[in-house]
Amino acid sequence: MGEPSSSTNSKVPKPQAYPDRSMREGTVLYCADTMTYRGKTTVVFQEWHVRTIQVKRGSNSRFGVQGLGTSSKTLYVNLAQKVEGVTWGKRSKTQGDFGWKSNVPAEYRKQFQAGHALPSGLYTTKYAALRFAVPDFRQTIAFCQESLEEETDPELLAEIREDMLLFQEGLLVLERRLKAMQRELRSERARSSTLDKPSDKETEQ
């Protein structure tokens, strides 16, 4: 199956610029997704935590391998997805000893260069992550529809239809969640505006 058209891609928000002021060890980035369990689809927010921001030790230099113990000056941000029981949980028999597991599987790790845009789909707020996920799901559904027109294999057609149905259900719950969050933000701005507005007595004085 081919890639979605560029016209569809243009509707998806751009990756978030690197947040210099807030990016540090412990910062949490969010990715909005959906999960279907026992016929019910819900919105889930993946949490990607900044574990370290450091140089790559022992990486190759421009003209070959660097000397032992040397490192590039380029900083890299290392992320790990927090998943209960997989990457995060009880580490020993000691009471209250919860934290990151010693070996985080590769599929739950990401790395990108400090100062560059955040990895696709990751944002510093849940709202921004939702704003990315909605058009991203629409793009995937359009891709599935195009594939249905091109594919001829019955088994692949069945798989595509099943995937498209899941994305359509996911899109509905994402859109509802986004609208609810937009209403909450508007209400918060309205309350803030009311509090900041001077009273009649203050105006008279």
Side-chain angles (χ1 to χ4, degrees):
M1 293 185 290
E3 292 297 324
S5 62
S6 58
S7 60
T8 306
N9 281 332
S10 63
K11 298 178 182 179
V12 178
K14 295 180 180 179
Q16 181 175 334
Y18 189 79
D20 288 292
R21 294 183 179 181
S22 62
M23 186 63 74
R24 59 179 63 88
E25 290 185 19
T27 295
V28 181
L29 305 177
Y30 300 97
C31 175
D33 202 352
T34 61
M35 178 180 68
T36 301
Y37 180 68
R38 292 184 177 179
K40 183 178 181 180
T41 302
T42 56
V43 175
V44 293
F45 289 98
Q46 298 175 9
E47 290 188 3
W48 288 84
H49 293 241
V50 176
R51 298 296 309 281
T52 60
I53 302 177
Q54 60 187 24
V55 297
K56 276 187 176 180
R57 297 191 62 81
S59 58
N60 289 344
S61 68
R62 181 179 177 185
F63 301 105
V65 179
Q66 295 179 344
L68 183 64
T70 63
S71 62
S72 166
K73 293 182 180 180
T74 304
L75 290 173
Y76 287 86
V77 181
N78 297 292
L79 306 173
Q81 185 183 355
K82 186 177 181 180
V83 182
E84 294 287 345
V86 180
T87 64
W88 176 275
K90 193 169 179 59
R91 297 182 296 186
S92 69
K93 295 181 179 180
T94 305
Q95 186 175 0
D97 184 21
F98 287 87
W100 292 100
K101 299 286 188 176
S102 56
N103 294 313
V104 175
E107 59 265 35
Y108 299 104
R109 301 196 307 264
K110 290 181 185 290
Q111 184 185 76
F112 68 100
Q113 189 172 327
H116 287 208
L118 302 185
S120 180
L122 295 185
Y123 293 85
T124 51
T125 67
K126 292 181 178 180
Y127 177 64
L130 271 175
R131 290 186 67 243
F132 172 88
V134 168
D136 187 54
F137 268 56
R138 288 176 183 157
Q139 178 190 89
T140 304
I141 292 168
F143 178 42
C144 289
Q145 290 171 335
E146 292 175 6
S147 300
L148 286 175
E149 296 174 0
E150 300 172 358
E151 188 57 63
T152 57
D153 184 271
E155 291 186 5
L156 287 177
L157 284 170
E159 290 179 8
I160 294 170
R161 290 192 185 97
E162 184 178 351
D163 288 343
M164 187 168 70
L165 180 61
L166 289 174
F167 277 104
Q168 287 172 331
E169 292 174 350
L171 177 60
L172 289 175
V173 297
L174 285 169
E175 288 177 328
R176 284 198 294 265
R177 185 65 173 272
L178 179 59
K179 289 178 180 178
M181 194 169 286
Q182 288 172 335
R183 287 194 296 269
E184 291 173 5
L185 290 172
R186 285 195 294 268
S187 297
E188 289 178 5
R189 284 196 292 266
R191 286 195 297 269
S192 177
S193 177
T194 302
L195 292 173
D196 293 339
K197 185 178 180 180
S199 63
D200 293 338
K201 290 183 178 180
E202 290 176 338
T203 305
E204 291 174 1
Q205 293 176 355

